Amino acid sequence: MGEIYFFIVTVLKSLLVILPLLGAVAYYTLLERKVIGYMQARVGPNRTGARGIGQPIADALKLLFKELLLPAKSNKFIFVIAPILSLAPAISAWAVVPFADGWVVADANAGVLYLFAMTSLGAYGILMAGWASNSRYAFLGAMRSAAQVISYEIAMGFALVGVLMAAGSMNISTIVNAQSGNIFHWYFLPLLPMFVVYWISAVAETNRAPFDVAEGESEIVAGFHVEYSGMGFALFFLAEYANMILVSILAALLFLGGWLSPFEGVPVLEGLLEFIPGVIWLLLKTGFFSFLLLWLRATFPRYRYDQLMQLGWKVLIPVTIFWIFVEGVLILGGVI
Amino acid sequence: MKKENIDIEIDGIKLSAKPGEMLIQVADREGIYIPRFCYHKKLKIAANCRMCLVEVENSPKTLPACATPVTPGMKAFTKSKATVKSQQAVMEFLLVNHPLDCPICDQGGECELQDVAVSHGADRSRFDSEKRVVSDEDLGSLVGTEMTRCIHCTRCIRFCEDIGGQKQLGAFGRGGDMNIGTYLERGLQGELSGNVIDLCPVGALTSKPFKYTGRSWEFQQHLSVSPHDCVGSNMYFHSFADSSDNGSKIMRVLPRENEDINEIWISDRDRFSYAGLNSTDRAHSPMLKQNGKWKNVSWQTALNYVADSLKAIMDAKKTDQIGALISANSSCEELFLFQKLIRAIGSNNIDHRVTVNDFTDEGSFTTFPAMVKPIATFANSKLIILIGSNAREEQPLLFHKIRQAVQNGSSLFVINSYDYDFACSLSGKKIISSSEMLEFLVSVNHMLATNLSVGDISSQYAQDPEILDLVAKLKAANGSVEIIAGEQLESHIDAAKIRSWLYQLKVTLGGNLHHLTKGANAAGAWLTGAVSHRSEFMMPASKKGLNALEMLQEKLPVYFMHGQEAEYDFVDPNLAIDALKDADLVISSTSFVSDSMLDYADVILPTAAFSEFSGSFINCEGKLQRFNAAVMPPGEAKPAWKVYKVIANLLGIEELNYSHCSEITSILESSLANVSHDGFWDLIEPSYSDKSEISRIGHWPSVRADATVRRSEPLQKTLDENIACARINPKYAVELNIIDGAKVALQQGDVQAKYICLHDDKVAYGNIYLSTGLDGNNNLGNAYGKITVVGVES
Amino acid sequence: MQLSQDFIISFVILSLLFFVAMILWFLLAPRLGFKDLIKRFVLWDILCGLKITGIEFFKRKKTVQFPEEFTPKSARFRGLLALRRYPNGEERCIACKLCEAVCPALAIKIESEVRSDETRRTTRFDIDAFKCIHCGLCEQACPVDSIVLTDESNYTLDRKTQIMDKETLLAIGDYCEDKIASNRAEDDDYR
């Protein structure tokens, strides 16, 4: 009885996370087009519904009704499961993400490790898609993606190690709570290099501009998903945007104090803004990072592939390793 | 005494010139361009356009370069300030009345006035008064006019007078009222009249069939050679460069300069015959007659049918029952492969001489009936005797040389059965019935030489003033006599005898005996072996075959024809059609299909017409000239040499396996270099025909000579409207009780037809003139045979 | 935390060594000045880039809402091709083929003949709209102002309508004649 109850509750909790997430993903695409449009002196989509509000729905319907093409010489099985393998980790990662104190599907002790595993798994979807397509562009895109993810995973991992060291825990809720105090207790200040490295790696990890060599439409058409159409393409699309939101929310949780109010400890404002629930703070912080992703895309041209590798291996990894040592010293010194 | 060259200077360049030369001639030779309109290197100098004014040192005014003879130490400046000023002034005057209708003018883009106005004219005019308008003149179906555009250079006037030999055009009025027109409103006559289109520096005289259909810059130019007469004029075909859709069509024909043959002229027949190429009669796909019904079939079916039929005959060892007739207008390659195919099958019955009546002296020609002297040298002859020829229409460019000779002071004596208008001054002529021609020649020979073993002076000619005149001339000519036996003599019933006595004349006097043939490539046909008695390159045939006339008289069961229309091309169309209709199998490879052909043929293989295949012709001098394909054949038509190659392959004959027709041309070129074209005749005892019998004379009018020209509408419009009438000398008519315009029933063999009979004192006494190759006359017999008047209606 | 003294010492030495190596690498490898080095460390250029797009984000947008709004068009705008007529209804084209000759894209194909009234006219006037590059040379070459580029830019052509024949072109000319005439009048002084 208890197990069934637990199961039903978990499913409901999952739905409570997944459904808003999918909605967010849909409107995140609209937001992207709008934001980039605004930054390029245009207005973005504005024909479907008031100010383009119906655009994501129209796009979803279009993709839903589009024909699914299977390339003649592709590996059919892998070709079909690749997008699923890409989306599944992107969504399951959200299981350990807390939205406020206790608001979490699975409050796992090794949450960060789990997250790390899940984000890395997404690369397999891309690799399989590229290989199964039996297309030179897709294959190139997949190869680039694999190399990129491996390279930046290390930097990202070290950045997270910094957080773990500081918090002394792998449970995300614990990490957030460890940052309580005022804004200066948030980890982005003592771990500033880690934070920057994390963010750069996160952009690279999600294959977003300026690290979108895996797609590289001006070089290899659309990279790994060049052969996908209709829902197959839509799944990759969903996975990419779910990941984007995930890395944003992780940045907020791990470095910006999660759902903690920035005005903790500030004499007047603290009391004045106490009515705002923690989840709003979290969403605001997440929103800032999500916006930053779009802003970066609107601003920077794509990295050259060798520059990308150089940045990952010769700059980011040494910086993180170095800062781990420094952090170790600081911890020993009792600063953090 | 040869005058020494003098030194002059043009634009500071020191040049040497012959005394008496004009400044513009020296400049042209040295490549210094002086603009001109009225001056033309082939015409007399008029100096009336003033465009070539140049500054000459020590002359107060600029001088016309075309009419200023060079003087020692002369210094001319073609680009000086004074020259340019004169040129701009003249140009401005010329443009006062020239309309600005270049966009619709056919000359636009190749107009001398346009070019010179741009290069030497001022950029604006000071005249703003109304331009004059001149009414057009109808110059016939070939030359279109837009006289408003005329700048009065008078090139056309001078051309008609000096080159064409007839004063037809003139300038009327003076000053601003001057205009060019004909003296008699009969249009432009003459075999070379189309050349005024090229000469006209503006768009006043243009080609009527070409009118408004294309622009000069759209065309691709293809080298070609005239396919209509044995002179082999060089010409260009112009077709649309963009042959993507519907562009594969000859749009016009222009002369190609060749000083040895046609200078810069071509005849009207060459120029306008292209209109016939686009006729609706063109054969588009292979056809088979099955149970009396025609069916379009594939090439494979048709060729298999032909091959199977020929195979059956070969297996039955009846190959000598195949008669092969090929047109003398075919290219050397076609002739060569055709005769090779027929001989390989096993028949020697192959001939191209369908216009010939007398074959008895065929062995006398070493190579072929040829002009033994280059055409270009004729202009310097002393005495030319033209016999049995209307060369002016039949070989216009050859006659142009003869006319030049006459203009240079040589004598021209004509012996004909019809008094053709040669448009040049004859120093003597004998119009004599075709049946008496031999007698006349025998008499002439005997008057010149006393030691001849056969024949004698006929009493009739002993005191004839014309014969005495001719004999005196021949004696005075002192050996340099050019005797030209024409195309009509070739068809004469007694041609062999006449030729032998002409040869005797040549032997007695010295000089040369020339022969002219009908068709563009009779020479090629003789040389490639498309004759019954000889194989290729003058080698004797394995067995003498039947000649063209015998083939038809024998009524063979199988005929293979190339490019022939029996009702038009044969000297005896009636005999031909009878024979073909009686045959079991008639294979006709042809570019044009006529109703009559559908009647007698059993298989029609569509072949490319001239302009659609490349190859070569050999002209009457023995000169081999290559030509290129200009356009694609219509429908499924294929070049004939390929058809013969495939038939040979189907029959298992290996000898015809040439991969390209230029391979064959090269073989011909190497085999035919340095052969002499002289002939040798033994004197033949003359036997005179019965004078009470009437002989028909009736050569092909020049525009009915071959299948292409017969279908060229603009050329057909130039035919005399009375061409289909019988003509008779008035004196003779009185004897036969025929009044002018009477309807007479004429009979040849067992064929009878009615004709309107006109009195014409140009016809020799004793002949009835009735052209062959016309639509109405096809059912009558031999063009040079006996004819009887069986009834007269008044 | 309970860590041995040795470990702490070795840890500090290692980290210092590494720190020195890092500094040396940053100083030597890119050969940068101190100012540039600092700029690199604080991601200065990246921030500059973000600033530009950030400012642009709030600026007035330049989008023209096409079916409702139009951008202003010059009287010389080179749009859809057309053939004009004279006011009496006679086609202007005289088949001079100058446009065909001048067309750099070889888009024009003309065939001509003598019409029954002895004038020079086209029997075929085809323009391949896919080949046309709207350069306007045909319009300049035309001696009778027959072929013109109208200012009509809102049209679509497909493979069936790609070849515009004489009737189509004349119909377009008839439809746009007023606009063509007014545009020409406006531009008249400069022609």
Side-chain angles (χ1 to χ4, degrees):
Chain A
M1 193 66 191
E3 276 164 9
I4 293 170
Y5 172 76
F6 176 73
F7 178 74
I8 292 171
V9 167
T10 310
V11 165
L12 285 176
K13 274 189 194 171
S14 305
L15 286 177
L16 216 58
V17 173
I18 290 171
L19 293 179
L21 174 67
L22 291 182
V25 164
Y27 278 88
Y28 192 28
T29 62
L30 174 64
L31 185 74
E32 171 168 40
R33 292 167 71 178
K34 278 281 189 189
V35 166
I36 293 178
Y38 268 58
M39 286 178 176
Q40 294 168 345
R42 13 180 217 101
V43 293
N46 66 346
R47 291 271 152 186
T48 324
R51 302 187 73 86
I53 206 81
Q55 191 67 41
I57 296 156
D59 285 347
L61 283 175
K62 180 198 78 172
L63 287 171
L64 206 60
F65 287 112
K66 271 197 150 180
E67 188 186 356
L68 273 171
L69 292 174
L70 283 175
K73 292 191 174 170
S74 63
N75 186 327
K76 302 282 182 322
F77 177 67
I78 299 180
F79 188 83
V80 170
I81 64 161
I84 302 167
L85 269 183
S86 185
L87 181 63
I91 289 177
S92 45
W94 285 82
V96 294
V97 173
F99 294 91
D101 220 355
W103 292 20
V104 58
V105 179
D107 196 9
N109 280 331
V112 174
L113 197 61
Y114 172 77
L115 265 177
F116 205 59
M118 283 301 134
T119 48
S120 305
L121 265 179
Y124 285 94
I126 292 174
L127 255 179
M128 288 162 83
W131 185 80
S133 296
N134 198 7
S135 152
R136 63 198 71 179
Y137 297 119
F139 187 67
L140 265 180
M143 287 294 112
R144 286 177 173 200
S145 171
Q148 182 184 334
V149 167
I150 288 170
S151 312
Y152 280 80
E153 204 124 274
I154 299 170
M156 196 183 189
F158 279 128
L160 293 181
V161 165
V163 175
L164 302 184
M165 280 168 72
S169 170
M170 280 217 209
N171 182 309
I172 296 175
S173 300
T174 315
I175 293 175
V176 171
N177 286 328
Q179 297 179 56
S180 62
N182 60 27
I183 197 164
F184 300 105
H185 283 76
W186 296 355
Y187 286 154
F188 79 97
L189 267 181
L191 302 183
L192 187 65
M194 294 301 196
F195 174 50
V196 173
V197 169
Y198 167 77
W199 185 243
I200 294 172
S201 307
V203 175
E205 197 74 340
T206 48
N207 288 328
R208 293 289 299 177
F211 302 110
D212 56 344
V213 290
E215 267 185 57
E217 49 276 274
S218 55
E219 301 156 27
I220 50 173
V221 192
F224 61 90
H225 61 59
V226 68
E227 301 293 345
Y228 283 90
S229 63
M231 276 320 283
F233 172 75
L235 292 186
F236 278 120
F237 206 72
L238 280 175
E240 181 180 338
Y241 283 82
N243 270 329
M244 282 162 69
I245 299 175
L246 181 68
V247 296
S248 300
I249 203 167
L250 278 181
L253 286 167
L254 300 179
F255 293 96
L256 284 188
W259 54 83
L260 300 174
S261 162
F263 303 109
E264 261 180 5
V266 182
V268 183
L269 282 172
E270 189 186 3
L272 216 59
L273 296 171
E274 214 169 4
F275 69 93
I276 299 173
V279 69
I280 298 293
W281 289 118
L282 179 63
L283 291 183
L284 280 175
K285 290 167 189 172
T286 310
F288 168 72
F289 283 109
S290 303
F291 181 77
L292 193 59
L293 274 172
L294 308 182
W295 194 358
L296 286 171
R297 184 181 169 191
T299 310
F300 299 114
R302 186 178 307 125
Y303 259 80
R304 217 168 62 204
Y305 192 68
D306 61 321
Q307 291 173 333
L308 179 89
M309 285 321 228
Q310 179 161 329
L311 179 70
W313 289 97
K314 285 162 98 177
V315 178
L316 298 187
I317 294 175
V319 164
T320 47
I321 293 175
F322 168 68
W323 204 256
I324 284 171
F325 285 111
V326 173
E327 201 187 339
V329 173
L330 289 174
I331 290 167
L332 284 176
V335 178
I336 300 172
Chain B
M1 192 184 80
K2 202 183 167 195
K3 287 181 202 161
E4 276 181 25
N5 281 359
I6 50 179
D7 294 328
I8 64 161
E9 210 175 89
I10 303 178
D11 291 347
I13 305 163
K14 289 198 166 37
L15 303 167
S16 123
K18 294 185 204 87
E21 252 187 322
M22 297 300 162
L23 204 47
I24 202 168
Q25 288 167 333
V26 183
D28 276 357
R29 197 174 57 228
E30 301 297 333
I32 301 165
Y33 179 69
I34 299 172
R36 81 291 302 269
F37 294 115
C38 73
Y39 171 77
H40 192 277
K41 61 179 179 180
K42 293 283 175 192
L43 299 176
K44 281 183 186 159
I45 287 162
N48 55 3
C49 75
R50 316 309 281 183
M51 193 64 222
C52 62
L53 290 175
V54 291
E55 185 186 357
V56 175
E57 200 182 49
N58 295 332
S59 156
K61 291 201 277 184
T62 47
L63 301 175
C66 71
T68 307
V70 290
T71 54
M74 180 186 242
K75 283 183 181 166
F77 307 96
T78 67
K79 289 170 188 73
S80 71
K81 219 173 156 187
T83 307
V84 170
K85 207 180 153 200
S86 307
Q87 285 168 343
Q88 293 191 344
V90 171
M91 202 61 231
E92 199 174 342
F93 270 123
L94 286 171
L95 292 178
V96 165
N97 276 321
H98 190 81
L100 290 174
D101 61 351
C102 303
I104 59 158
C105 175
D106 270 334
Q107 193 86 354
E110 53 182 358
C111 176
E112 287 173 55
L113 190 69
Q114 246 182 354
D115 294 348
V116 176
V118 170
S119 60
H120 293 83
D123 55 355
R124 63 197 64 230
S125 170
R126 286 165 289 179
F127 292 85
D128 51 6
S129 52
E130 292 232 331
K131 300 195 177 211
R132 68 173 200 159
V133 174
V134 181
S135 58
D136 287 341
E137 193 143 357
D138 182 11
L139 292 187
S141 63
L142 304 179
V143 181
T145 55
E146 190 71 52
M147 298 315 291
T148 310
R149 299 185 187 133
C150 178
I151 56 165
H152 310 130
C153 69
T154 70
R155 279 188 192 175
C156 51
I157 299 178
R158 282 173 283 149
F159 172 83
C160 288
E161 213 166 302
D162 304 339
I163 311 290
Q166 287 167 304
K167 283 193 180 180
Q168 299 185 60
L169 291 172
F172 303 95
R174 289 293 175 266
D177 295 328
M178 178 169 165
N179 56 54
I180 307 284
T182 49
Y183 292 111
L184 307 168
E185 289 188 347
R186 285 196 317 190
L188 213 51
Q189 316 271 313
E191 72 290 358
L192 298 170
S193 66
N195 290 301
V196 297
I197 298 164
D198 298 337
L199 283 174
C200 186
V202 293
L205 301 175
T206 53
S207 165
K208 219 172 215 175
F210 173 69
K211 193 177 182 190
Y212 295 165
T213 53
R215 313 293 320 229
S216 57
W217 59 78
E218 297 181 284
F219 297 126
Q220 207 161 20
Q221 187 161 278
H222 309 271
L223 301 184
S224 199
V225 174
S226 160
H228 302 298
D229 62 44
C230 60
V231 178
S233 304
N234 290 201
M235 56 191 206
Y236 287 119
F237 278 129
H238 281 192
S239 68
F240 279 125
D242 168 25
S243 59
S244 52
D245 36 17
N246 173 25
S248 195
K249 213 166 117 178
I250 300 289
M251 296 308 292
R252 60 174 179 178
V253 177
L254 293 182
R256 177 154 60 99
E257 187 164 356
N258 185 342
E259 277 304 309
D260 294 339
I261 298 176
N262 55 323
E263 299 179 21
I264 56 164
W265 320 113
I266 53 172
S267 64
D268 290 357
R269 186 164 58 169
D270 299 340
R271 188 184 293 269
F272 295 108
S273 67
Y274 73 89
L277 293 171
N278 307 322
S279 134
T280 50
D281 285 355
R282 286 301 301 272
H284 286 268
S285 79
M287 298 200 286
L288 271 183
K289 198 198 268 179
Q290 285 169 338
N291 305 326
K293 274 189 182 162
W294 281 101
K295 229 174 87 183
N296 285 350
V297 294
S298 69
W299 267 109
Q300 205 176 353
T301 319
L303 289 175
N304 279 333
Y305 182 80
V306 170
D308 291 346
S309 312
L310 293 174
K311 192 109 199 161
I313 298 162
M314 284 163 85
D315 292 344
K317 307 244 184 289
K318 281 186 180 164
T319 49
D320 57 347
Q321 297 293 294
I322 300 174
L325 294 159
I326 184 162
S327 161
N329 290 319
S330 317
S331 73
C332 293
E333 291 72 17
E334 288 169 353
L335 289 156
F336 183 68
L337 286 191
F338 188 72
Q339 68 87 17
K340 238 178 155 50
L341 174 68
I342 299 297
R343 292 216 155 93
I345 288 170
S347 171
N348 272 313
N349 304 339
I350 169 162
D351 211 345
H352 72 279
R353 295 166 295 178
V354 293
T355 63
V356 175
N357 268 320
D358 188 356
F359 295 84
T360 47
D361 63 341
E362 60 192 6
S364 298
F365 297 103
T366 44
T367 51
F368 64 93
M371 301 291 289
V372 297
K373 216 172 106 176
I375 295 172
T377 60
F378 270 80
N380 309 319
S381 313
K382 216 164 177 187
L383 172 61
I384 300 170
I385 298 174
L386 203 52
I387 178 163
S389 170
N390 181 16
R392 187 184 163 209
E393 288 194 350
E394 287 154 8
Q395 287 84 19
L397 273 310
L398 173 72
F399 193 75
H400 164 65
K401 293 287 182 188
I402 296 175
R403 187 184 284 129
Q404 265 182 359
V406 172
Q407 281 166 352
N408 290 349
S410 95
S411 314
L412 174 62
F413 198 97
V414 176
I415 305 169
N416 264 343
S417 301
Y418 187 86
D419 190 7
Y420 294 109
D421 176 13
F422 284 100
C424 77
S425 60
L426 306 177
S427 51
K429 66 181 171 192
K430 180 70 189 168
I431 305 303
I432 186 165
S433 157
S434 58
S435 48
E436 290 172 43
M437 208 171 257
L438 178 61
E439 202 172 341
F440 178 78
L441 282 174
V442 172
S443 304
V444 172
N445 266 308
H446 275 278
M447 283 167 140
L448 286 164
T450 50
N451 55 348
L452 298 175
S453 53
V454 293
D456 201 357
I457 303 177
S458 160
S459 58
Q460 187 187 348
Y461 297 116
Q463 294 305 316
D464 188 89
E466 281 149 335
I467 204 168
L468 295 174
D469 173 41
L470 176 61
V471 168
K473 280 204 176 70
L474 287 168
K475 278 180 176 160
N478 203 12
S480 61
V481 183
E482 310 294 340
I483 305 166
I484 304 176
E487 185 184 307
Q488 304 187 2
L489 186 73
E490 199 194 11
S491 305
H492 198 282
I493 297 278
D494 284 329
K497 285 178 195 144
I498 293 176
R499 274 195 287 260
S500 83
W501 283 92
L502 284 174
Y503 182 71
Q504 179 57 41
L505 199 59
K506 176 217 144 161
V507 170
T508 317
L509 294 165
N512 297 305
L513 173 58
H514 310 277
H515 307 275
L516 292 172
T517 45
K518 186 167 175 292
N521 200 21
W526 278 80
L527 292 168
T528 55
V531 282
S532 53
H533 64 293
R534 266 188 216 161
S535 177
E536 66 235 40
F537 313 133
M538 292 85 76
M539 288 187 292
S542 55
K543 182 187 150 219
K544 191 182 167 310
L546 301 176
N547 61 41
L549 205 58
E550 287 165 347
M551 274 185 240
L552 298 171
Q553 283 161 349
E554 296 274 319
K555 290 205 191 278
L556 300 174
V558 180
Y559 288 100
F560 197 155
M561 302 166 66
H562 173 75
Q564 309 269 24
E565 289 182 294
E567 67 276 29
Y568 297 122
D569 284 323
F570 289 73
V571 74
D572 192 341
N574 197 43
L575 176 71
I577 286 184
D578 276 354
L580 292 169
K581 273 187 186 162
D582 289 352
D584 301 333
L585 175 66
V586 177
I587 304 160
S588 176
S589 71
T590 178
S591 312
F592 297 96
V593 181
S594 63
D595 289 341
S596 169
M597 187 183 289
L598 291 176
D599 197 20
Y600 60 71
D602 299 294
V603 185
I604 288 178
L605 305 175
T607 52
F610 190 75
S611 81
E612 290 155 7
F613 57 87
S614 46
S616 61
F617 281 155
I618 299 175
N619 78 348
C620 57
E621 305 163 288
K623 190 183 277 176
L624 185 137
Q625 303 189 96
R626 293 180 187 230
F627 53 83
N628 296 335
V631 291
M632 295 292 289
E636 288 175 60
K638 294 266 181 298
W641 73 272
K642 283 189 182 168
V643 175
Y644 300 142
K645 189 181 129 180
V646 175
I647 293 178
N649 284 346
L650 289 174
L651 291 171
I653 298 166
E654 294 293 321
E655 300 154 65
L656 274 68
N657 227 341
Y658 300 98
S659 59
H660 195 269
C661 85
S662 67
E663 247 177 83
I664 311 167
T665 323
S666 305
I667 296 171
L668 296 174
E669 251 170 1
S670 55
S671 311
L672 298 176
N674 307 320
V675 290
S676 153
H677 302 303
D678 262 318
F680 304 94
W681 279 264
D682 294 327
L683 217 46
I684 303 172
E685 174 78 47
S687 60
Y688 305 129
S689 46
D690 181 4
K691 283 176 195 160
S692 63
E693 283 181 347
I694 312 169
S695 301
R696 173 179 169 192
I697 51 165
H699 208 68
W700 288 260
S702 66
V703 297
R704 303 292 300 173
D706 63 60
T708 315
V709 288
R710 279 195 290 268
R711 284 170 177 83
S712 165
E713 262 179 58
L715 283 175
Q716 294 311 306
K717 284 185 196 153
T718 63
L719 267 179
D720 185 358
E721 55 184 357
N722 290 329
I723 192 76
C725 298
R727 286 151 198 270
I728 189 163
N729 191 300
K731 282 187 216 155
Y732 197 46
V734 171
E735 282 179 28
L736 295 172
N737 282 328
I738 301 173
I739 59 164
D740 194 14
K743 210 164 193 186
V744 296
L746 300 176
Q747 184 166 346
Q748 277 196 299
D750 47 4
V751 203
Q752 195 175 326
K754 284 182 181 168
Y755 294 92
I756 293 171
C757 189
L758 300 178
H759 286 193
D760 187 347
D761 53 12
K762 289 182 169 181
V763 184
Y765 182 91
N767 281 143
I768 282 181
Y769 185 96
L770 181 56
S771 288
T772 190
L774 299 172
D775 285 329
N777 296 33
N778 302 327
N779 44 2
L780 225 51
N782 197 324
Y784 285 86
K786 299 282 167 255
I787 194 165
T788 43
V789 180
V790 289
V792 183
E793 291 171 29
S794 49
Chain C
M1 286 197 194
Q2 295 297 314
L3 291 166
S4 71
Q5 199 77 15
D6 298 349
F7 180 79
I8 294 170
I9 291 164
S10 55
F11 187 88
V12 169
I13 293 168
L14 269 172
S15 61
L16 281 175
L17 276 175
F18 196 82
F19 184 74
V20 171
M22 285 295 299
I23 296 294
L24 280 175
W25 184 77
F26 267 111
L27 286 177
L28 298 177
R31 296 186 191 283
L32 295 168
F34 182 71
K35 206 176 146 193
D36 290 338
L37 196 69
I38 295 300
K39 271 191 174 180
R40 269 202 157 192
F41 266 99
V42 301
L43 305 175
W44 180 254
D45 292 333
I46 300 232
L47 293 175
C48 287
L50 288 173
K51 185 185 142 198
I52 290 168
T53 41
I55 292 170
E56 199 67 35
F57 187 77
F58 296 102
K59 276 195 183 164
R60 203 180 143 75
K61 301 295 168 265
K62 297 178 175 70
T63 303
V64 174
Q65 296 294 337
F66 163 61
E68 295 90 26
E69 297 169 30
F70 294 97
T71 41
K73 240 180 250 172
S74 159
R76 297 174 185 179
F77 187 87
R78 301 193 298 256
L80 189 60
L81 285 153
L83 285 175
R84 294 178 75 194
R85 292 180 194 274
Y86 286 110
N88 65 3
E90 174 65 280
E91 57 181 296
R92 282 177 184 250
C93 182
I94 48 168
C96 70
K97 303 198 185 184
L98 287 176
C99 50
E100 186 185 30
V102 81
C103 183
L106 307 180
I108 307 179
K109 176 78 191 165
I110 299 173
E111 280 166 20
S112 59
E113 63 159 21
V114 188
R115 202 171 66 179
S116 53
D117 60 355
E118 287 289 303
T119 55
R120 184 186 186 111
R121 296 290 165 188
T122 55
T123 51
R124 175 178 170 197
F125 195 116
D126 288 353
I127 296 179
D128 187 336
F130 285 11
K131 284 185 186 168
C132 176
I133 55 168
H134 299 271
C135 64
L137 289 179
C138 51
E139 187 175 5
Q140 283 182 36
C142 188
V144 288
D145 279 356
S146 175
I147 187 165
V148 288
L149 289 132
T150 64
D151 64 359
E152 190 55 63
S153 59
N154 310 327
Y155 59 91
T156 56
L157 292 164
D158 56 27
R159 285 192 187 178
K160 283 175 195 153
T161 49
Q162 162 192 9
I163 307 285
M164 301 201 280
D165 60 11
K166 195 177 164 185
E167 282 69 41
T168 315
L169 290 163
L170 280 169
I172 296 168
D174 293 343
Y175 180 73
C176 299
E177 178 57 36
D178 295 343
K179 196 75 212 297
I180 297 168
S182 69
N183 277 346
R184 302 219 133 207
E186 194 184 327
D187 201 33
D188 209 29
D189 294 344
Y190 312 106
R191 278 177 194 269

